[in-house]
Amino acid sequence: LVFDNYAVGQPTMDGRYFAKLGVDCELLDKHLSATDMDLTFNKVKDRDQKRITYQQFLEGLGHIAAKKGISNAALADVVSQCEGPILNGTVAEPNKFHDDKALYTGVYAYGGPSTVDTDKVSSLSQHLDRSDRAGASFKFHGLRPG
């Protein structure tokens, strides 16, 4: 169950979530560092893969238990207590200049800039027209007709 939570719906787990498991389950201490978690992940994964299977996960937990000096059963108890990845996000503070549209200035007070000036140009082909009927556009681009 813990493997499934940290594998995020995949049949395999990547190194980032393996390291996050160590942080979330409070496995890191003076005997086990984040670097040790990363080295353990790289030790148990296949050389040509970036993710580990469930069997490799169990093998990695065995390496972690040995590194911490505890039994596999004790580590399994600690890991089984973890609910899943603990995700912490930030929430922006209110900003009156962003939130209150009455305080907008310049072009944004009138709805913001437009990416299409329909009164002047309706398509890109008008910009790229270098024919004689295009008038002086060939002079603007530095080209001569014919």
Side-chain angles (χ1 to χ4, degrees):
L1 182 65
V2 173
F3 178 83
D4 292 334
N5 290 340
Y6 280 90
V8 193
Q10 301 288 323
T12 57
M13 179 189 297
D14 65 1
R16 180 172 58 117
Y17 279 102
F18 188 75
K20 186 155 181 53
L21 173 88
V23 172
D24 292 349
C25 295
E26 299 177 358
L27 299 177
L28 304 182
D29 56 13
K30 65 181 182 178
H31 300 292
L32 183 72
S33 67
T35 304
D36 293 327
M37 290 293 292
D38 189 46
L39 291 173
T40 300
F41 178 83
N42 286 312
K43 186 185 295 184
V44 298
K45 76 174 183 67
D46 292 333
R47 183 176 283 246
D48 60 340
Q49 298 293 316
K50 293 183 179 182
R51 301 174 70 89
I52 60 173
T53 63
Y54 180 69
Q55 291 303 319
Q56 292 167 328
F57 172 73
L58 294 177
E59 182 183 343
L61 290 181
H63 289 292
I64 291 170
K67 181 79 174 162
K68 288 180 70 71
I70 59 175
S71 68
N72 288 353
L75 182 66
D77 287 340
V78 171
V79 171
S80 66
Q81 300 293 323
C82 287
E83 296 291 321
I86 300 171
L87 305 174
N88 297 322
T90 58
V91 177
E93 295 180 11
N95 183 329
K96 69 177 184 177
F97 296 113
H98 178 266
D99 300 335
D100 187 1
K101 293 186 191 263
L103 297 175
Y104 283 9
T105 60
V107 71
Y108 295 99
Y110 299 101
S114 172
T115 57
V116 179
D117 295 327
T118 55
D119 58 331
K120 297 177 186 137
V121 178
S122 62
S123 72
L124 187 60
S125 65
Q126 291 177 335
H127 280 296
L128 302 176
D129 187 7
R130 295 184 179 169
S131 64
D132 287 336
R133 63 181 166 75
S137 68
F138 65 87
K139 293 177 187 173
F140 178 77
H141 293 289
L143 301 174
R144 294 185 199 122

